[in-house]
Amino acid sequence: MKSAVENLNPTRVRLTVEVPFEELKDSLDAAYKKINQQVTVKGFRKGKIPARVIDQRFGRGAVLEEAVNDALPKFYTEAVNEAELNVLGQPEVDITELKDGETLNFTAEVDVRPAIEIPDYSGIEVEVDAIEVSDEDIEKAVEELRERFASTSPVERAAQDGDVVTIDLEAKVDGEVLEDGVASDVSYTIGSGELLEGIDEAVKGLEAGGGTTFTSELKGGSAAGKEAEVTVKVSQVAARELPELDDDFAQLASEFDTLDELKADSRKRLENMKEYDQATQAQERVLEKLLELVEVPVPEKLLEDEINTRKHNLEHHQLGQMGLDLAKYLEIQGKTEEEWDAETKEAAVKGIKTQFVLDELVNKEKLNVNQEELTEHLMRRAASSGMSPDQFAQAVVEGGQVPMLVGEVARGKALAVVVEAATVKDTNGEIVDLDDEEDETESSTEVVAGVTDGDEASEEKPEA
């Protein structure tokens, strides 16, 4: 077999392959054997029909077609390996010449990973938010905790903001009660905004036993997005009572003995949260700077596939779970379809470029992923998906997604290397030291996964 490569553009090549006919022998033998098992000829046992009889009865062309279909993937793979190409996606194959007993010639056009030159990234500088926890932040956190330990007691008066009412609901569309539009003994805190739009105004001023009807657009269920006539009846009004902010409350709501200790712990927790947010912000901004330094051509077909994948995932998975269609989602977001298309394309381009650049860094820095790192990432992904680690691991293996997870971890490690080399300052001008290598790698991996989610740009993965 002989092959040659023609570069059509930085991300696409054409392979020209010439195969001497004798190299098709194994595939021809396999073709005769396959046809032998599929057909019957009077006078011959099944599977024992001579090749000349098959040629006479069914045509040599049918045998050649079967043999070529069997041989093409093997010769294409050999040509790719010989040229040391990093191919992306499936090739477009064209048989240019097939002469029985002489030769098989074909071409294959396919997208390839572009050659990328990683420049010196040690001079990258970014600014992030300073870590500042105010007394107001502490008070807000303690107040939220206090709200969780509030008690309620029935009252004989009209409902008002902050009260907890027990209600029955019935929704009608076009005068018909919906099958999923009836609910009884629903507990609702007035002002929480957790139910239907307009319900706060409807129930305020009602006493136990009172009711009213109002109009609201349904957010979910069988009639999502439609205007419904909703009847609400109040069976109980209860006032919320907050516990006193003292040492007794600290002992009730936490493991601490005093309110001061509880507040100190709240401050520490908020600082930790802001530290994580700061690290994530640093990684995102360093990644932006890195992508600005590198020229990355994006294969058109790969970009088209990625855009379609992202759109499909949003429309058929994410929005479906929320009971929304694309039109309603865009209305809520205040965007036109053209604006959404442009944003989706921009995100897809960034995701593909991120994969290409970080994969090149993985190779350049010779980064590997060990089992412990992969397991840790799998555990975090399982937690965010709402599945148990065992369920998630099984789904990943059955879906052939282990290389994808390995790639995410490897790219996270590559980004962590760049972040470590960069200069990060906060808005106060202070140098930020992201010195926890393990946490930095974990959060870098999450940043990368968020940017590249849905991408299929990487065919070859680092070894695990």
mmCIF file of all heavy atoms in Angstrom, residues 299-330:
data_model
loop_
_atom_site.group_PDB
_atom_site.id
_atom_site.type_symbol
_atom_site.label_atom_id
_atom_site.label_comp_id
_atom_site.label_asym_id
_atom_site.label_seq_id
_atom_site.Cartn_x
_atom_site.Cartn_y
_atom_site.Cartn_z
ATOM 1 N N PRO A 299 -11.672 23.461 13.078
ATOM 2 C CA PRO A 299 -12.267 22.728 11.950
ATOM 3 C C PRO A 299 -13.758 23.043 11.819
ATOM 4 O O PRO A 299 -14.499 23.002 12.803
ATOM 5 C CB PRO A 299 -12.047 21.254 12.331
ATOM 6 C CG PRO A 299 -10.914 21.271 13.309
ATOM 7 C CD PRO A 299 -11.057 22.556 14.060
ATOM 8 N N GLU A 300 -14.203 23.353 10.591
ATOM 9 C CA GLU A 300 -15.592 23.763 10.373
ATOM 10 C C GLU A 300 -16.575 22.662 10.743
ATOM 11 O O GLU A 300 -17.590 22.906 11.384
ATOM 12 C CB GLU A 300 -15.783 24.173 8.906
ATOM 13 C CG GLU A 300 -15.062 25.464 8.530
ATOM 14 C CD GLU A 300 -15.345 25.874 7.099
ATOM 15 O OE1 GLU A 300 -16.249 25.271 6.484
ATOM 16 O OE2 GLU A 300 -14.660 26.783 6.600
ATOM 17 N N LYS A 301 -16.291 21.442 10.304
ATOM 18 C CA LYS A 301 -17.217 20.339 10.573
ATOM 19 C C LYS A 301 -17.300 20.058 12.067
ATOM 20 O O LYS A 301 -18.380 19.809 12.614
ATOM 21 C CB LYS A 301 -16.758 19.079 9.829
ATOM 22 C CG LYS A 301 -17.672 17.861 9.996
ATOM 23 C CD LYS A 301 -19.039 18.115 9.378
ATOM 24 C CE LYS A 301 -19.856 16.830 9.277
ATOM 25 N NZ LYS A 301 -20.155 16.205 10.569
ATOM 26 N N LEU A 302 -16.161 20.112 12.742
ATOM 27 C CA LEU A 302 -16.147 19.888 14.185
ATOM 28 C C LEU A 302 -16.953 20.968 14.898
ATOM 29 O O LEU A 302 -17.725 20.680 15.815
ATOM 30 C CB LEU A 302 -14.706 19.888 14.694
ATOM 31 C CG LEU A 302 -14.518 19.646 16.195
ATOM 32 C CD1 LEU A 302 -14.964 18.246 16.567
ATOM 33 C CD2 LEU A 302 -13.074 19.865 16.590
ATOM 34 N N LEU A 303 -16.803 22.216 14.462
ATOM 35 C CA LEU A 303 -17.552 23.313 15.069
ATOM 36 C C LEU A 303 -19.051 23.134 14.839
ATOM 37 O O LEU A 303 -19.849 23.329 15.758
ATOM 38 C CB LEU A 303 -17.082 24.648 14.489
ATOM 39 C CG LEU A 303 -17.824 25.892 14.976
ATOM 40 C CD1 LEU A 303 -17.727 26.027 16.491
ATOM 41 C CD2 LEU A 303 -17.293 27.143 14.287
ATOM 42 N N GLU A 304 -19.414 22.748 13.633
ATOM 43 C CA GLU A 304 -20.833 22.527 13.329
ATOM 44 C C GLU A 304 -21.419 21.434 14.220
ATOM 45 O O GLU A 304 -22.512 21.577 14.784
ATOM 46 C CB GLU A 304 -20.983 22.146 11.854
ATOM 47 C CG GLU A 304 -22.415 21.847 11.434
ATOM 48 C CD GLU A 304 -22.506 21.350 10.002
ATOM 49 O OE1 GLU A 304 -21.529 21.528 9.230
ATOM 50 O OE2 GLU A 304 -23.538 20.765 9.637
ATOM 51 N N ASP A 305 -20.680 20.335 14.378
ATOM 52 C CA ASP A 305 -21.149 19.228 15.220
ATOM 53 C C ASP A 305 -21.269 19.661 16.674
ATOM 54 O O ASP A 305 -22.212 19.288 17.381
ATOM 55 C CB ASP A 305 -20.200 18.031 15.114
ATOM 56 C CG ASP A 305 -20.263 17.368 13.743
ATOM 57 O OD1 ASP A 305 -21.223 17.638 12.995
ATOM 58 O OD2 ASP A 305 -19.341 16.597 13.413
ATOM 59 N N GLU A 306 -20.301 20.461 17.129
ATOM 60 C CA GLU A 306 -20.306 20.900 18.523
ATOM 61 C C GLU A 306 -21.483 21.823 18.802
ATOM 62 O O GLU A 306 -22.149 21.715 19.837
ATOM 63 C CB GLU A 306 -18.980 21.599 18.844
ATOM 64 C CG GLU A 306 -18.909 22.193 20.239
ATOM 65 C CD GLU A 306 -19.113 21.170 21.327
ATOM 66 O OE1 GLU A 306 -18.902 19.972 21.070
ATOM 67 O OE2 GLU A 306 -19.502 21.570 22.432
ATOM 68 N N ILE A 307 -21.756 22.739 17.874
ATOM 69 C CA ILE A 307 -22.903 23.642 18.040
ATOM 70 C C ILE A 307 -24.196 22.834 18.110
ATOM 71 O O ILE A 307 -25.049 23.075 18.962
ATOM 72 C CB ILE A 307 -22.950 24.657 16.883
ATOM 73 C CG1 ILE A 307 -21.786 25.645 17.002
ATOM 74 C CG2 ILE A 307 -24.279 25.414 16.867
ATOM 75 C CD1 ILE A 307 -21.639 26.564 15.804
ATOM 76 N N ASN A 308 -24.339 21.866 17.207
ATOM 77 C CA ASN A 308 -25.548 21.031 17.205
ATOM 78 C C ASN A 308 -25.686 20.232 18.485
ATOM 79 O O ASN A 308 -26.785 20.052 19.012
ATOM 80 C CB ASN A 308 -25.536 20.090 15.997
ATOM 81 C CG ASN A 308 -25.717 20.830 14.680
ATOM 82 O OD1 ASN A 308 -26.286 21.924 14.659
ATOM 83 N ND2 ASN A 308 -25.236 20.260 13.588
ATOM 84 N N THR A 309 -24.560 19.739 19.019
ATOM 85 C CA THR A 309 -24.586 18.980 20.270
ATOM 86 C C THR A 309 -25.049 19.848 21.426
ATOM 87 O O THR A 309 -25.893 19.452 22.235
ATOM 88 C CB THR A 309 -23.196 18.396 20.582
ATOM 89 O OG1 THR A 309 -22.834 17.477 19.557
ATOM 90 C CG2 THR A 309 -23.193 17.680 21.928
ATOM 91 N N ARG A 310 -24.506 21.061 21.513
ATOM 92 C CA ARG A 310 -24.892 21.969 22.595
ATOM 93 C C ARG A 310 -26.367 22.344 22.498
ATOM 94 O O ARG A 310 -27.075 22.398 23.504
ATOM 95 C CB ARG A 310 -24.004 23.217 22.567
ATOM 96 C CG ARG A 310 -22.572 22.955 23.028
ATOM 97 C CD ARG A 310 -21.676 24.171 22.852
ATOM 98 N NE ARG A 310 -20.319 23.872 23.276
ATOM 99 C CZ ARG A 310 -19.785 24.269 24.431
ATOM 100 N NH1 ARG A 310 -20.495 24.971 25.277
ATOM 101 N NH2 ARG A 310 -18.541 23.951 24.738
ATOM 102 N N LYS A 311 -26.849 22.611 21.286
ATOM 103 C CA LYS A 311 -28.254 22.955 21.111
ATOM 104 C C LYS A 311 -29.154 21.781 21.485
ATOM 105 O O LYS A 311 -30.174 21.947 22.156
ATOM 106 C CB LYS A 311 -28.515 23.371 19.658
ATOM 107 C CG LYS A 311 -27.940 24.728 19.292
ATOM 108 C CD LYS A 311 -28.298 25.105 17.854
ATOM 109 C CE LYS A 311 -27.834 26.518 17.526
ATOM 110 N NZ LYS A 311 -28.187 26.899 16.127
ATOM 111 N N HIS A 312 -28.766 20.592 21.046
ATOM 112 C CA HIS A 312 -29.565 19.395 21.356
ATOM 113 C C HIS A 312 -29.633 19.158 22.861
ATOM 114 O O HIS A 312 -30.706 18.855 23.398
ATOM 115 C CB HIS A 312 -28.958 18.173 20.657
ATOM 116 C CG HIS A 312 -29.683 16.901 20.943
ATOM 117 N ND1 HIS A 312 -30.800 16.491 20.244
ATOM 118 C CD2 HIS A 312 -29.463 15.937 21.890
ATOM 119 C CE1 HIS A 312 -31.241 15.345 20.733
ATOM 120 N NE2 HIS A 312 -30.441 14.982 21.721
ATOM 121 N N ASN A 313 -28.486 19.280 23.542
ATOM 122 C CA ASN A 313 -28.464 19.052 24.991
ATOM 123 C C ASN A 313 -29.359 20.043 25.725
ATOM 124 O O ASN A 313 -30.071 19.680 26.662
ATOM 125 C CB ASN A 313 -27.034 19.155 25.516
ATOM 126 C CG ASN A 313 -26.183 17.962 25.125
ATOM 127 O OD1 ASN A 313 -26.709 16.923 24.739
ATOM 128 N ND2 ASN A 313 -24.877 18.111 25.188
ATOM 129 N N LEU A 314 -29.336 21.308 25.285
ATOM 130 C CA LEU A 314 -30.172 22.311 25.943
ATOM 131 C C LEU A 314 -31.649 22.048 25.690
ATOM 132 O O LEU A 314 -32.447 22.002 26.626
ATOM 133 C CB LEU A 314 -29.802 23.714 25.446
ATOM 134 C CG LEU A 314 -30.663 24.848 26.010
ATOM 135 C CD1 LEU A 314 -30.426 25.014 27.506
ATOM 136 C CD2 LEU A 314 -30.395 26.159 25.296
ATOM 137 N N GLU A 315 -32.009 21.846 24.423
ATOM 138 C CA GLU A 315 -33.424 21.716 24.073
ATOM 139 C C GLU A 315 -34.039 20.415 24.582
ATOM 140 O O GLU A 315 -35.173 20.417 25.059
ATOM 141 C CB GLU A 315 -33.594 21.803 22.556
ATOM 142 C CG GLU A 315 -33.295 23.170 21.971
ATOM 143 C CD GLU A 315 -33.652 23.253 20.499
ATOM 144 O OE1 GLU A 315 -34.851 23.170 20.187
ATOM 145 O OE2 GLU A 315 -32.733 23.388 19.671
ATOM 146 N N HIS A 316 -33.307 19.318 24.468
ATOM 147 C CA HIS A 316 -33.911 18.005 24.742
ATOM 148 C C HIS A 316 -33.582 17.448 26.122
ATOM 149 O O HIS A 316 -34.167 16.441 26.521
ATOM 150 C CB HIS A 316 -33.476 17.008 23.668
ATOM 151 C CG HIS A 316 -33.918 17.380 22.290
ATOM 152 N ND1 HIS A 316 -35.189 17.145 21.830
ATOM 153 C CD2 HIS A 316 -33.265 18.017 21.278
ATOM 154 C CE1 HIS A 316 -35.304 17.583 20.579
ATOM 155 N NE2 HIS A 316 -34.151 18.121 20.223
ATOM 156 N N HIS A 317 -32.661 18.057 26.830
ATOM 157 C CA HIS A 317 -32.328 17.559 28.166
ATOM 158 C C HIS A 317 -32.587 18.611 29.235
ATOM 159 O O HIS A 317 -33.462 18.445 30.080
ATOM 160 C CB HIS A 317 -30.868 17.082 28.207
ATOM 161 C CG HIS A 317 -30.601 15.927 27.289
ATOM 162 N ND1 HIS A 317 -31.137 14.677 27.473
ATOM 163 C CD2 HIS A 317 -29.857 15.845 26.149
ATOM 164 C CE1 HIS A 317 -30.754 13.867 26.506
ATOM 165 N NE2 HIS A 317 -29.975 14.560 25.685
ATOM 166 N N GLN A 318 -31.848 19.719 29.181
ATOM 167 C CA GLN A 318 -31.953 20.713 30.248
ATOM 168 C C GLN A 318 -33.334 21.374 30.278
ATOM 169 O O GLN A 318 -33.989 21.426 31.320
ATOM 170 C CB GLN A 318 -30.857 21.765 30.069
ATOM 171 C CG GLN A 318 -29.451 21.180 30.143
ATOM 172 C CD GLN A 318 -28.390 22.176 29.704
ATOM 173 O OE1 GLN A 318 -28.466 23.354 29.991
ATOM 174 N NE2 GLN A 318 -27.384 21.703 28.985
ATOM 175 N N LEU A 319 -33.801 21.875 29.122
ATOM 176 C CA LEU A 319 -35.096 22.556 29.094
ATOM 177 C C LEU A 319 -36.234 21.583 29.325
ATOM 178 O O LEU A 319 -37.241 21.928 29.952
ATOM 179 C CB LEU A 319 -35.287 23.286 27.760
ATOM 180 C CG LEU A 319 -34.318 24.431 27.477
ATOM 181 C CD1 LEU A 319 -34.682 25.140 26.178
ATOM 182 C CD2 LEU A 319 -34.315 25.443 28.617
ATOM 183 N N GLY A 320 -36.090 20.360 28.812
ATOM 184 C CA GLY A 320 -37.132 19.353 29.011
ATOM 185 C C GLY A 320 -37.374 19.061 30.476
ATOM 186 O O GLY A 320 -38.517 18.884 30.919
ATOM 187 N N GLN A 321 -36.293 19.026 31.255
ATOM 188 C CA GLN A 321 -36.425 18.770 32.690
ATOM 189 C C GLN A 321 -37.120 19.916 33.411
ATOM 190 O O GLN A 321 -37.729 19.725 34.454
ATOM 191 C CB GLN A 321 -35.035 18.533 33.296
ATOM 192 C CG GLN A 321 -34.370 17.253 32.818
ATOM 193 C CD GLN A 321 -32.945 17.107 33.329
ATOM 194 O OE1 GLN A 321 -32.425 17.985 34.009
ATOM 195 N NE2 GLN A 321 -32.310 15.988 33.006
ATOM 196 N N MET A 322 -37.043 21.137 32.835
ATOM 197 C CA MET A 322 -37.674 22.299 33.448
ATOM 198 C C MET A 322 -39.076 22.558 32.895
ATOM 199 O O MET A 322 -39.737 23.519 33.294
ATOM 200 C CB MET A 322 -36.802 23.539 33.234
ATOM 201 C CG MET A 322 -35.453 23.481 33.932
ATOM 202 S SD MET A 322 -34.524 25.040 33.799
ATOM 203 C CE MET A 322 -34.022 25.004 32.090
ATOM 204 N N GLY A 323 -39.515 21.722 31.945
ATOM 205 C CA GLY A 323 -40.841 21.916 31.365
ATOM 206 C C GLY A 323 -40.907 23.108 30.439
ATOM 207 O O GLY A 323 -41.965 23.724 30.276
ATOM 208 N N LEU A 324 -39.777 23.472 29.809
ATOM 209 C CA LEU A 324 -39.732 24.633 28.923
ATOM 210 C C LEU A 324 -39.346 24.206 27.512
ATOM 211 O O LEU A 324 -38.678 23.190 27.315
ATOM 212 C CB LEU A 324 -38.704 25.653 29.423
ATOM 213 C CG LEU A 324 -38.926 26.296 30.798
ATOM 214 C CD1 LEU A 324 -37.723 27.162 31.158
ATOM 215 C CD2 LEU A 324 -40.198 27.131 30.817
ATOM 216 N N ASP A 325 -39.792 25.000 26.532
ATOM 217 C CA ASP A 325 -39.269 24.837 25.185
ATOM 218 C C ASP A 325 -38.314 25.989 24.898
ATOM 219 O O ASP A 325 -38.167 26.913 25.704
ATOM 220 C CB ASP A 325 -40.389 24.763 24.146
ATOM 221 C CG ASP A 325 -41.269 26.015 24.148
ATOM 222 O OD1 ASP A 325 -40.858 27.052 24.712
ATOM 223 O OD2 ASP A 325 -42.382 25.952 23.596
ATOM 224 N N LEU A 326 -37.658 25.946 23.732
ATOM 225 C CA LEU A 326 -36.639 26.949 23.430
ATOM 226 C C LEU A 326 -37.234 28.350 23.365
ATOM 227 O O LEU A 326 -36.639 29.315 23.860
ATOM 228 C CB LEU A 326 -35.941 26.608 22.111
ATOM 229 C CG LEU A 326 -34.834 27.567 21.672
ATOM 230 C CD1 LEU A 326 -33.731 27.638 22.732
ATOM 231 C CD2 LEU A 326 -34.252 27.135 20.326
ATOM 232 N N ALA A 327 -38.419 28.470 22.760
ATOM 233 C CA ALA A 327 -39.037 29.794 22.615
ATOM 234 C C ALA A 327 -39.301 30.424 23.982
ATOM 235 O O ALA A 327 -39.015 31.618 24.196
ATOM 236 C CB ALA A 327 -40.338 29.673 21.822
ATOM 237 N N LYS A 328 -39.813 29.630 24.924
ATOM 238 C CA LYS A 328 -40.101 30.151 26.258
ATOM 239 C C LYS A 328 -38.817 30.493 26.991
ATOM 240 O O LYS A 328 -38.728 31.513 27.699
ATOM 241 C CB LYS A 328 -40.905 29.121 27.059
ATOM 242 C CG LYS A 328 -41.414 29.653 28.398
ATOM 243 C CD LYS A 328 -42.357 30.830 28.191
ATOM 244 C CE LYS A 328 -42.821 31.415 29.490
ATOM 245 N NZ LYS A 328 -43.657 32.616 29.285
ATOM 246 N N TYR A 329 -37.799 29.659 26.819
ATOM 247 C CA TYR A 329 -36.505 29.901 27.464
ATOM 248 C C TYR A 329 -35.912 31.224 26.985
ATOM 249 O O TYR A 329 -35.433 32.028 27.790
ATOM 250 C CB TYR A 329 -35.562 28.744 27.142
ATOM 251 C CG TYR A 329 -34.122 28.984 27.516
ATOM 252 C CD1 TYR A 329 -33.706 28.915 28.835
ATOM 253 C CD2 TYR A 329 -33.169 29.276 26.538
ATOM 254 C CE1 TYR A 329 -32.374 29.140 29.183
ATOM 255 C CE2 TYR A 329 -31.846 29.490 26.872
ATOM 256 C CZ TYR A 329 -31.455 29.423 28.193
ATOM 257 O OH TYR A 329 -30.149 29.651 28.525
ATOM 258 N N LEU A 330 -35.960 31.453 25.670
ATOM 259 C CA LEU A 330 -35.414 32.696 25.122
ATOM 260 C C LEU A 330 -36.203 33.904 25.607
ATOM 261 O O LEU A 330 -35.630 34.970 25.853
ATOM 262 C CB LEU A 330 -35.414 32.640 23.595
ATOM 263 C CG LEU A 330 -34.466 31.610 22.960
ATOM 264 C CD1 LEU A 330 -34.605 31.611 21.448
ATOM 265 C CD2 LEU A 330 -33.031 31.877 23.357
#
